[in-house]
Coordinates of all heavy atoms in Angstrom, one line a residue:
G384 N -6.2 77.9 -8.3 CA -7.1 77.1 -7.6 C -6.4 75.8 -6.9 O -6.9 75.2 -6.2
L385 N -5.1 75.6 -7.4 CA -4.3 74.4 -6.9 C -2.9 74.8 -6.9 O -2.3 75.5 -7.8 CB -4.5 73.3 -7.9 CG -3.9 72.0 -7.4 CD1 -4.6 71.3 -6.2 CD2 -3.9 70.9 -8.6
R386 N -2.2 74.4 -5.8 CA -0.8 74.8 -5.6 C 0.1 73.7 -6.3 O -0.3 72.5 -6.3 CB -0.5 74.9 -4.1 CG -0.7 73.6 -3.4 CD -0.4 73.8 -1.9 NE -0.8 72.6 -1.2 CZ 0.0 71.5 -1.1 NH1 1.2 71.5 -1.6 NH2 -0.4 70.4 -0.4
A387 N 1.2 74.2 -6.8 CA 2.1 73.2 -7.3 C 2.7 72.3 -6.2 O 2.8 72.7 -5.1 CB 3.3 73.9 -7.9
G388 N 2.7 71.0 -6.5 CA 3.2 70.1 -5.5 C 2.1 69.4 -4.7 O 2.3 68.5 -3.9
A389 N 0.8 69.9 -5.0 CA -0.3 69.2 -4.3 C -0.5 67.8 -4.8 O -0.3 67.5 -6.0 CB -1.6 70.0 -4.6
E390 N -0.9 66.9 -3.9 CA -1.3 65.6 -4.3 C -2.8 65.5 -4.6 O -3.6 65.9 -3.8 CB -1.0 64.6 -3.2 CG -1.2 63.1 -3.5 CD -0.8 62.2 -2.4 OE1 -0.4 62.7 -1.3 OE2 -0.9 61.0 -2.6
Y391 N -3.1 65.1 -5.8 CA -4.5 65.1 -6.3 C -4.9 63.8 -6.9 O -4.0 63.1 -7.4 CB -4.7 66.3 -7.3 CG -4.2 66.1 -8.7 CD1 -5.0 65.6 -9.7 CD2 -2.8 66.2 -8.9 CE1 -4.4 65.4 -10.9 CE2 -2.3 66.0 -10.1 CZ -3.1 65.6 -11.2 OH -2.6 65.3 -12.4
V392 N -6.1 63.5 -6.9 CA -6.7 62.3 -7.4 C -6.7 62.3 -8.9 O -7.3 63.1 -9.5 CB -8.1 61.9 -6.8 CG1 -8.6 60.6 -7.4 CG2 -8.0 61.9 -5.2
T393 N -6.2 61.2 -9.5 CA -6.2 61.1 -11.0 C -7.1 60.0 -11.5 O -7.6 60.0 -12.6 CB -4.7 60.8 -11.5 OG1 -4.2 59.7 -10.9 CG2 -3.9 62.0 -11.2
T394 N -7.3 58.9 -10.6 CA -8.0 57.8 -11.0 C -9.2 57.5 -10.1 O -9.0 57.5 -8.9 CB -7.1 56.5 -11.1 OG1 -6.0 56.8 -12.0 CG2 -7.9 55.3 -11.7
N395 N -10.4 57.2 -10.7 CA -11.6 57.0 -9.9 C -12.0 58.1 -8.9 O -12.5 57.9 -7.8 CB -11.4 55.6 -9.1 CG -11.3 54.5 -10.0 OD1 -11.9 54.5 -11.2 ND2 -10.7 53.4 -9.5
S396 N -11.8 59.3 -9.4 CA -12.2 60.5 -8.6 C -13.7 60.6 -8.4 O -14.3 61.2 -7.6 CB -11.7 61.8 -9.1 OG -12.1 61.9 -10.4
Y397 N -14.4 59.9 -9.3 CA -15.9 59.9 -9.3 C -16.4 59.3 -8.0 O -17.6 59.6 -7.6 CB -16.5 59.2 -10.5 CG -16.3 57.6 -10.5 CD1 -17.3 56.8 -9.9 CD2 -15.2 57.0 -11.0 CE1 -17.1 55.4 -9.8 CE2 -15.0 55.7 -10.9 CZ -16.0 54.9 -10.4 OH -15.8 53.5 -10.3

Side-chain angles (χ1 to χ4, degrees):
L385 185 71
R386 60 183 176 84
E390 184 178 2
Y391 73 101
V392 177
T393 57
T394 303
N395 292 336
S396 58
Y397 71 90

